[in-house]
Amino acid sequence: MAPTHHRTRTAALGLAGALALTGCSAVGGGTDAGEGTDGGTVTLVTHESFGLAEGILEQFEQDTGLTVEIVQQADSGALVNQLVLTKDAPLGDLVYGVDNTFASRALDEGVVVPAEVTAPAAQDAAAYAVPGDDGALTAIDVGDVCMNVDLTWFEEQGVEPPETFEDLTAPQYADLTVVPDPVTSSPGLAFVLATIGRFGEDGWLDYWADLRDNGLQVADGWSEAYYTDFSGGGGEGPRPVVLSYASSPPFTVPEGGDEPTTAALLGTCFRQVEYAGVLAGADNPEGAAQLLDFLLSDEVQADIPTSMYMYPVSSSVELPEDWASWAPLSDEPYDVAPADVAEHREAWLEDWSATVVG
Amino acid sequence: MTLLDRRVTPAAARGPAADRRASVGRTLGWAAAAGVPLAFLGVFFAWPVAEIVGRGFVTDGVLDLSGVGEVLGRPRTWRILGQTLTQAALGTAGSLLLGIPGAYLLHRCRFPGRDALRAVVTVPFVLPTVVVGVAFRSLLVDGGMLGGLGLDGTLAAIVLALVFFNYAVVVRTVGGLWERLDPRAEQAARSLGASPWRAFRTVTLPALAPAIASAASLTFLFCATAFGTVLVLGGRRFGTVETEIWVQTTQYLDLRAAAVLSVLQLVVVAGALAAAARARARTERALDLGEPVGTAHPVRWRDPVDVTAVVVTAVTVVGLLALPLVNLVVRSLRTPTGWGLDHYAALALPADTLRVTPLAAAVTSLRVALDATVIALVVGGLVALVVSRRPRRPVLRRAVGGLDAVMMLPLGVSAVTVGFGFLVAMDAPFGLDVDLRTSGVLVPVAQAVVAVPLVVRTVLPVLRAVDPRLREVAATLGAPPGRVLRTVDLAMAVRSLGLALGLAFAASLGEFGATSFLARPENPTLPVVVFRLIGRPGAESYGTALAAAVLLAALTAAVVAVCERLRTPGVGGSW
């Protein structure tokens, strides 16, 4: 009997502990800090990669009296589609994270409405405006999706790393490249667009057929490709060429070293632009406009590289030192008109799937 | 026997009026017991799913079924359907083949460390697929420990991963019944000269059949709707109906195609459920259930049955379950400068811009899982209770069977369909001014929807095996219906509730599919944090993600171990 009693006590203690830990929750613990400020609430709808350094949003709340709520949904493609679906009852007031591959869909569906932007960086943002857009989407940051190479691997093998699109189809680079699937990953889609920008609508599929024949590996998403198949950057996979970002190399500077062990191939980049916009039917459009201005302020713009791994659109803030040295943006990125993307995305992806995945 | 034959019931003795009143009361009671779960499922599952699937079939306010012919006319649809069925069938077969010996060893035999092992085998069930992808694939890629096998990107790899995830489902559902089977029937068969295999085949296996059918239908549903596992390990080449629905919905916003595929998936699932129900109905019968501890025996090294179970389980646990888990732990200990606990220390820090520490997310996860478990136990318990009855009237019997099948459906409908359904249905449910989509209340509810079938399938085989004569005897002796429920059904069920509790808790701890489609304001759960961390550049984020996954695994093992203790005799009875 003694063991039974002992067990009873252990179990009871365990249960009590679990209940104490969870505060005996019936949907508990969800009280919103900061509620009750007078300026009302503004809800930001964004993707999973959104984040700002501690204190930045809090400062905004203090300055404006607004309470910021954040609703984070999936990746940027799914985000736009969710906004389209919930158009009649929007999830919030402002969206951040619509990129140029989905911008036209957001505009065509009337998900966002024009708003006046007064921040000084609005000038810089205007340079990235979607053609034909009358101010409904405001560019917040940009980035380049490019092939990355593991310099250490190539040095150890005594092979020169590839540099161009064409190099990747050359026999000496057979079985070395991994890319994320463009249907399930947004950088993957960006790279397909880079090849369309480079080879044109008539030539890009042939290029992919060559890549496939040269032993291309397709992974499900960016993290799969980077951490499982790629040999650099903390992964231990077999392949030294991976699709990633121009901003990835600074993250591979080894402890105590001063140079990254990977490099981006700046001739293979697609320029990604991320936009924000006030949602049609927002409860608090004024608050949304204030928050939009704030995203273009120097504080947020300067924080974007370290928090979201993108480059600010503002020309008045400085890049972190290691970015300035090791993560320059491409001088000649490829781009495809957002309207073209909106029109052909599904067809292109189906063609791509038929050619590469089979 | 004579007692029963005479059917001297107290109700009859009380006279017709009282009898009618009691009968009306009983009917109302059962209606309420069935109504609560149906209402729950109706609001939080059927309605959102109908909303989103409906959008696929209605264009500009007019019913448009042209998508059906179009999607069913694509050769790709049939290829995908074939792949779904193949993967699910192989995954189920593998899980049963390895899981039944595991259930025997872990629930019929005694050996040191058994409780710990029971907790450990449950861990894979909750791990986020993105982490399992890393843990699995880094073993299988060229240059990985098992790279020489050439399994990377093959059907075999997917099936192995499906077994990895679902092994615990079989071990626990089958083991839950097995440990309570009276061993004397098998012993009698063997003392009469039957070989161990023959005794197993002719005596034990038929008694276990309902639990095996339960486990098989659960596993089949989990395999047929596996999403991350398939994409991470096989890519879209091995795409299933589930992955196709995800692509059509989230990437193409082709609701028409998604709706047709969702219905197709529902048909497959309903077929599987019907087949499982028939298999169960054919084999179910009252059993002599004993105390779990009374039936366990120390491992007998001379008994071929025991030895086989030990060998199969050892190979499975070491080769299939432990290897990826150990790989995960090893990688979480690797720092940029060597080995250390740096990534674990990072769990207490706000992970750069996440605004919460992974530890805080772990507490959120526990809290949400507790809510989800309570909901699932109430709802699932009621379902199991109602479904365990076999009313005499055929209409009622069919209704009971229908309730059983309906409550399983959430496992068979894609998470993206449910998630998008929530988004379009829950902005102002019933005209109420509460936006459930962003409130966070839906997270435990969504997890409970997934956990309910687990509760039903673990409690039901035990309840059904309760000899109805026990209830009749109790009633004959004058116990009112409530008392019969308490002393017979609840007493039997409470012992299997510990098991259900553990599985439901584990399922909601690891749930990511439906959760990931719900708007989560400031407090993400641990699987969500793992997912966000692993999507960030830098070896540190990656390491922290792996450490957080190990934390999730450890939490699961701890929770299951506690539930394990809750169900030992002496505790269950006094609960």
Side-chain angles (χ1 to χ4, degrees):
Chain A
M1 271 294 106
T4 310
H5 278 291
H6 174 67
R7 286 186 159 194
T8 313
R9 213 168 45 223
T10 323
L13 280 178
L15 191 65
L19 291 177
L21 190 59
T22 57
C24 205
S25 153
V27 196
T31 46
D32 297 320
E35 213 161 17
T37 32
D38 36 21
T41 300
V42 58
T43 305
L44 174 66
V45 184
T46 183
H47 52 53
E48 292 279 7
S49 319
F50 175 81
L52 290 173
E54 228 178 323
I56 293 186
L57 269 178
E58 288 78 359
Q59 188 61 48
F60 172 74
E61 291 182 323
Q62 266 184 15
D63 294 347
T64 58
L66 285 163
T67 303
V68 180
E69 277 186 5
I70 297 168
V71 169
Q72 276 176 291
Q73 305 260 1
D75 72 351
S76 66
L79 174 68
V80 171
N81 290 338
Q82 289 177 344
L83 290 176
V84 170
L85 266 183
T86 54
K87 205 163 54 173
D88 301 330
L91 291 163
D93 304 301
L94 183 73
V95 58
Y96 158 76
V98 175
D99 76 359
N100 49 338
T101 64
F102 274 90
S104 283
R105 175 171 289 171
L107 292 171
D108 293 347
E109 297 276 351
V111 166
V112 280
V113 292
E116 205 184 328
V117 189
T118 57
Q123 296 282 335
D124 297 317
Y128 298 99
V130 180
D133 171 25
D134 48 1
L137 284 177
T138 305
I140 304 296
D141 51 48
V142 302
D144 281 346
V145 172
C146 326
M147 281 295 179
N148 276 219
V149 290
D150 177 3
L151 297 172
T152 314
W153 190 94
F154 283 103
E155 199 173 315
E156 278 169 5
Q157 301 291 316
V159 181
E160 278 297 303
E163 282 178 15
T164 63
F165 277 120
E166 287 79 2
D167 286 350
L168 297 178
T169 59
Q172 72 263 38
Y173 301 117
D175 300 327
L176 299 189
T177 307
V178 58
V179 297
D181 189 326
V183 176
T184 53
S185 120
S186 52
L189 172 62
F191 189 64
V192 163
L193 296 177
T195 61
I196 292 171
R198 166 70 182 80
F199 297 100
E201 287 194 42
D202 299 327
W204 72 282
L205 271 180
D206 293 337
Y207 175 71
W208 279 99
D210 292 345
L211 269 184
R212 176 199 65 205
D213 295 342
N214 207 32
L216 177 77
Q217 163 97 27
V218 178
D220 167 44
W222 173 83
S223 52
E224 265 295 300
Y226 201 81
Y227 290 124
T228 310
D229 293 293
F230 185 45
S231 58
E236 297 168 6
R239 291 174 180 253
V241 184
V242 69
L243 182 72
S244 193
Y245 299 88
S247 57
S248 302
F251 292 97
T252 64
V253 177
E255 199 120 330
D258 48 13
E259 275 185 43
T261 59
T262 64
L265 307 184
L266 294 180
T268 64
C269 301
F270 177 80
R271 174 69 41 90
Q272 231 177 354
V273 185
E274 285 196 297
Y275 298 92
V278 177
L279 288 169
D283 280 340
N284 187 356
E286 295 82 19
Q290 273 177 284
L291 187 55
L292 176 58
D293 258 342
F294 181 64
L295 291 179
L296 284 177
S297 70
D298 283 358
E299 294 130 285
V300 174
Q301 289 284 307
D303 186 57
I304 282 175
T306 44
S307 289
M308 291 188 273
Y309 320 110
M310 298 291 278
Y311 302 72
V313 290
S314 169
S315 51
S316 65
V317 297
E318 263 181 45
L319 280 177
E321 205 177 309
D322 53 347
W323 280 47
S325 334
W326 305 118
L329 281 166
S330 170
D331 290 333
E332 37 186 336
Y334 292 99
D335 199 359
V336 179
D340 276 355
V341 183
E343 196 183 333
H344 300 296
R345 183 192 300 104
E346 278 76 41
W348 285 341
L349 287 176
E350 269 161 29
D351 290 345
W352 183 92
S353 301
T355 305
V356 180
V357 176
Chain B
M1 276 299 115
T2 47
L3 260 181
L4 289 176
D5 292 341
R6 271 188 275 139
R7 292 199 187 277
V8 187
T9 64
R14 280 200 306 265
D19 190 18
R20 248 196 321 274
R21 267 203 305 279
S23 148
V24 168
R26 227 180 0 254
T27 312
L28 284 180
W30 285 114
V36 169
L38 279 177
F40 174 79
L41 204 67
V43 172
F44 295 113
F45 173 74
W47 176 34
V49 168
E51 278 272 335
I52 192 76
V53 172
R55 287 199 184 198
F57 288 127
V58 175
T59 320
D60 302 325
V62 181
L63 187 66
D64 171 18
L65 294 179
S66 60
V68 178
E70 204 252 308
V71 174
L72 294 184
R74 296 177 195 165
R76 179 179 166 73
T77 304
W78 297 102
R79 201 186 79 207
I80 282 175
L81 183 64
Q83 290 179 174
T84 308
L85 293 174
T86 309
Q87 288 171 24
L90 291 175
T92 308
S95 302
L96 288 177
L97 214 59
L98 300 177
I100 292 177
Y104 174 78
L105 187 67
L106 288 172
H107 291 267
R108 272 320 268 248
C109 302
R110 271 202 310 271
F111 55 90
R114 184 188 66 170
D115 288 358
L117 194 58
R118 280 189 190 179
V120 167
V121 300
T122 318
V123 166
F125 184 60
V126 306
L127 285 182
T129 45
V130 55
V131 170
V132 173
V134 170
F136 239 83
R137 276 209 58 221
S138 59
L139 290 173
L140 300 180
V141 286
D142 280 348
M145 203 194 292
L146 306 177
L149 300 178
L151 289 176
D152 193 27
T154 63
L155 177 63
I158 296 177
V159 172
L160 283 177
L162 291 174
V163 176
F164 173 83
F165 276 112
N166 291 298
Y167 178 72
V169 175
V170 175
V171 169
R172 318 233 91 202
T173 353
V174 176
L177 185 60
W178 207 337
E179 70 183 355
R180 331 235 3 238
L181 279 188
D182 193 332
R184 280 172 299 189
E186 192 176 330
Q187 280 160 9
R190 284 181 71 173
S191 64
L192 290 173
S195 71
W197 295 118
R198 196 182 155 86
F200 174 74
R201 232 181 34 245
T202 55
V203 179
T204 311
L205 201 57
L208 286 178
I212 293 176
S214 261
S217 56
L218 272 181
T219 308
F220 186 87
L221 291 190
F222 278 127
C223 292
T225 57
F227 168 70
T229 319
V230 175
L231 279 185
V232 170
L233 286 152
R236 278 185 308 122
R237 204 150 32 103
F238 293 98
T240 59
V241 178
E242 179 90 4
T243 62
E244 191 68 8
I245 291 173
W246 184 84
V247 167
Q248 296 295 342
T249 309
T250 65
Q251 305 302 306
Y252 295 167
L253 200 62
D254 185 347
L255 295 184
R256 228 168 49 122
V260 176
L261 290 167
S262 296
V263 172
L264 186 65
Q265 192 177 38
L266 213 55
V267 169
V268 170
V269 164
L273 288 178
R278 280 181 74 161
R280 277 200 305 271
R282 259 209 319 276
T283 53
E284 249 158 9
R285 54 178 183 167
L287 301 168
D288 286 328
L289 298 183
E291 292 294 339
V293 158
T295 65
H297 60 78
V299 174
R300 293 179 289 237
W301 292 104
R302 294 225 184 92
D303 188 330
V305 176
D306 283 22
V307 172
T308 311
V310 169
V311 171
V312 172
T313 307
V315 170
T316 310
V317 169
V318 174
L320 185 62
L321 307 189
L323 213 52
L325 294 178
V326 169
N327 187 27
L328 187 65
V329 174
V330 167
R331 294 186 70 144
S332 73
L333 291 170
R334 195 167 301 165
T335 71
T337 51
W339 300 90
L341 292 170
D342 305 23
H343 299 313
Y344 288 89
L347 294 177
L349 307 171
D352 58 74
T353 55
L354 285 178
R355 296 162 75 88
V356 294
T357 67
L359 276 185
V363 174
T364 304
S365 274
L366 284 175
R367 182 176 277 156
V368 172
L370 190 63
D371 288 338
T373 306
V374 170
I375 302 173
L377 280 186
V378 171
V379 175
L382 284 174
V383 174
L385 192 61
V386 174
V387 172
S388 68
R389 303 296 135 146
R390 296 188 195 77
R392 291 206 186 82
R393 283 176 43 206
V395 185
L396 284 183
R397 208 159 44 226
R398 267 201 297 277
V400 160
L403 179 68
D404 185 15
V406 162
M407 295 310 286
M408 290 287 281
L409 286 182
L411 290 187
V413 173
S414 96
V416 72
T417 307
V418 180
F420 269 63
F422 277 148
L423 282 182
V424 297
M426 292 292 172
D427 58 304
F430 307 111
L432 299 174
D433 189 24
V434 276
D435 195 338
L436 276 185
R437 301 170 305 176
T438 52
S439 76
V441 174
L442 269 188
V443 176
V445 169
Q447 296 183 350
V449 170
V450 179
V452 164
L454 285 169
V455 174
V456 177
R457 292 268 80 85
T458 41
V459 176
L460 193 54
V462 174
L463 274 189
R464 278 214 174 125
V466 171
D467 196 326
R469 283 173 303 184
L470 275 179
R471 294 183 195 116
E472 285 165 23
V473 168
T476 310
L477 294 175
R483 179 89 191 275
V484 175
L485 269 186
R486 228 176 19 252
T487 50
V488 179
D489 291 288
L490 201 60
M492 287 291 183
V494 96
R495 309 252 163 84
S496 55
L497 275 181
L499 177 66
L501 188 77
L503 269 184
F505 209 99
S508 34
L509 265 187
E511 211 283 329
F512 184 64
T515 315
S516 71
F517 292 101
L518 296 172
R520 295 166 311 278
E522 315 275 84
N523 10 5
T525 59
L526 196 52
V528 172
V529 164
V530 170
F531 178 76
R532 286 194 196 163
L533 279 172
I534 217 164
R536 288 167 177 269
E540 278 104 59
S541 293
Y542 177 63
T544 314
L546 299 186
V550 172
L551 174 66
L552 180 66
L555 273 180
T556 307
V559 165
V560 172
V562 168
C563 294
E564 202 65 59
R565 295 194 160 237
L566 276 179
R567 52 196 284 273
T568 40
V571 180
S574 62
W575 199 9

